[in-house]
Amino acid sequence: MAKIILASQSPRRKQLMEAAEIDFEVIVADVDETNPPGMRGEEVPEYLAKKKADAIQHMVKDAIVIAADTVVLLDHHILGKPTSEANAIEILSMLAGRMHYVVTGVCIQSKHKQVAFSVTTEVYFRPLSVAQIEHYVSNYAPFDKAGAYAIQEWIGMIGIEKINGDYYNVMGLPIGEVVKTLHRDFNHL
């Protein structure tokens, strides 16, 4: 079987790949993560996943590369990773009591084939108090997370009312869809 490369530094994606018992290595390339002006927020994750996969593929000729990118969309606007504690509090305050979308774009490719797709999950936050938001920002590390939160952490346990869609997508990788694609399109697993 071909070697699998995960083109991501995300500890959550690594954890999900390990939990799915996929044998892989991590290789990351420095990729410009800006998207073309006017691109819809829903299209950005798949576009960036393709860029990440392409950046790695030439380095690992006979491997299968898996790359992903996740965005949080509120009112069709991308809420990025917070730049400061104040920004994290601002982002979580915007999400509190509202529904938003988490979109993960995935690109799986070998030297002969590329399969890209996006998975969207609706996430409904309960109203959150300022104290709850400040507690989360102070006691957890929301700075490397799209939308300033991780569903599997305290804020997800107390703050998320429900989701429609793939829980693991909200963690950063729709692992079930990844496994299905590896099996169906790459005769792997």
Side-chain angles (χ1 to χ4, degrees):
M1 274 201 250
K3 182 178 0 178
I4 293 183
I5 304 298
L6 176 62
S8 176
Q9 298 180 86
S10 165
R12 288 157 300 281
R13 289 189 186 117
K14 184 175 182 278
Q15 174 190 9
L16 290 169
M17 293 277 288
E18 289 168 347
E21 299 182 6
I22 298 171
D23 188 25
F24 68 98
E25 294 176 27
V26 173
I27 300 177
V28 181
D30 191 24
V31 175
D32 175 16
E33 293 195 25
T34 55
N35 48 290
M39 180 176 276
R40 290 179 33 243
E42 294 83 356
E43 298 170 343
V44 169
E46 194 172 317
Y47 169 82
L48 292 176
K50 287 177 185 176
K51 279 181 78 171
K52 292 174 184 180
D54 288 341
I56 297 295
Q57 190 66 58
H58 73 279
M59 298 169 14
V60 292
K61 307 249 184 289
D62 293 324
I64 296 170
V65 176
I66 300 173
D69 191 80
T70 301
V71 298
V72 170
L73 293 171
L74 182 66
D75 300 327
H76 303 286
H77 297 290
I78 295 174
L79 299 180
K81 297 174 184 175
T83 55
S84 65
E85 278 195 23
N87 185 229
I89 291 167
E90 177 186 14
I91 290 170
L92 290 168
S93 296
M94 287 190 289
L95 295 175
R98 300 198 52 205
M99 187 276 288
H100 64 276
Y101 297 99
V102 176
V103 183
T104 300
V106 177
C107 180
I108 303 175
Q109 71 180 39
S110 65
K111 66 181 177 182
H112 301 296
K113 180 183 262 189
Q114 180 185 75
V115 177
F117 57 88
S118 293
V119 174
T120 301
T121 303
E122 295 176 354
V123 180
Y124 294 80
F125 260 102
R126 292 181 172 91
L128 298 168
S129 69
V130 172
Q132 288 172 318
I133 292 170
E134 289 175 348
H135 171 79
Y136 179 70
V137 172
S138 296
N139 292 286
Y140 294 84
F143 304 106
D144 68 335
K145 298 169 180 83
Y149 77 93
I151 192 169
Q152 71 276 15
E153 293 178 342
W154 178 82
I155 195 84
M157 294 173 205
I158 67 104
I160 293 178
E161 182 178 342
K162 68 177 178 174
I163 68 167
N164 287 333
D166 187 333
Y167 174 85
Y168 299 107
N169 184 53
V170 183
M171 283 182 67
L173 190 66
I175 193 68
E177 203 60 36
V178 168
V179 169
K180 181 175 95 177
T181 302
L182 283 170
H183 181 70
R184 181 190 66 216
D185 297 311
F186 295 90
N187 297 315
H188 202 284
L189 302 177

